[in-house]
Amino acid sequence: MTKPVDWFIPDPKHTEAIMNYMLKQGHIKKPKQLTKTMYLQCTHCNDTISSSYSGEYVSCKCCKIAVDQTEYYTRIIGNEGDYLVVNNEDNYNAKTL
């Protein structure tokens, strides 16, 4: 029988050092900050969500809605009655799934 491995979560200082090392080595890419973000409010849990980095998937507390946004598209996951658009900067490329 194999011995179970004890896992630990590093503190933020070590996590930042690990991420900086991986960026310098080219193992990961730094995500792009979005210039235009869309804010959605869930009608069930009243949670306001937004995607601030390109390709970041964010869902609300009750998981009824989610948003995935890049500079080229905005993907809203959920029914149209489940969310309200808080700001309307660039909604022309948004599609509901």
Side-chain angles (χ1 to χ4, degrees):
M1 193 148 103
T2 60
K3 182 180 175 183
V5 177
D6 292 330
W7 294 95
F8 71 97
I9 298 174
D11 59 6
K13 178 181 162 186
H14 287 97
T15 303
E16 185 177 350
I18 292 167
M19 295 299 281
N20 287 335
Y21 173 78
M22 292 178 73
L23 278 169
K24 287 179 185 176
Q25 296 297 318
H27 297 296
I28 59 173
K29 293 182 182 179
K30 190 171 185 177
K32 284 185 171 182
Q33 182 95 23
L34 293 173
T35 56
K36 296 180 182 178
T37 58
M38 178 183 288
Y39 294 91
L40 301 174
Q41 182 178 6
C42 179
T43 57
H44 299 281
C45 65
N46 291 326
D47 194 13
T48 303
I49 60 171
S50 67
S51 180
S52 54
Y53 289 101
S54 179
E56 180 184 23
Y57 177 87
V58 181
S59 64
C60 67
K61 294 175 189 173
C62 67
C63 297
K64 294 277 186 182
I65 63 167
V67 64
D68 175 25
Q69 187 174 0
T70 67
E71 58 187 75
Y72 303 110
Y73 70 89
T74 301
R75 182 172 62 151
I76 301 171
I77 298 149
N79 298 327
E80 286 191 43
D82 291 341
Y83 65 89
L84 299 171
V85 178
V86 178
N87 71 333
N88 196 2
E89 289 179 0
D90 185 18
N91 273 349
Y92 301 113
N93 61 351
K95 291 187 177 179
T96 304
L97 297 179

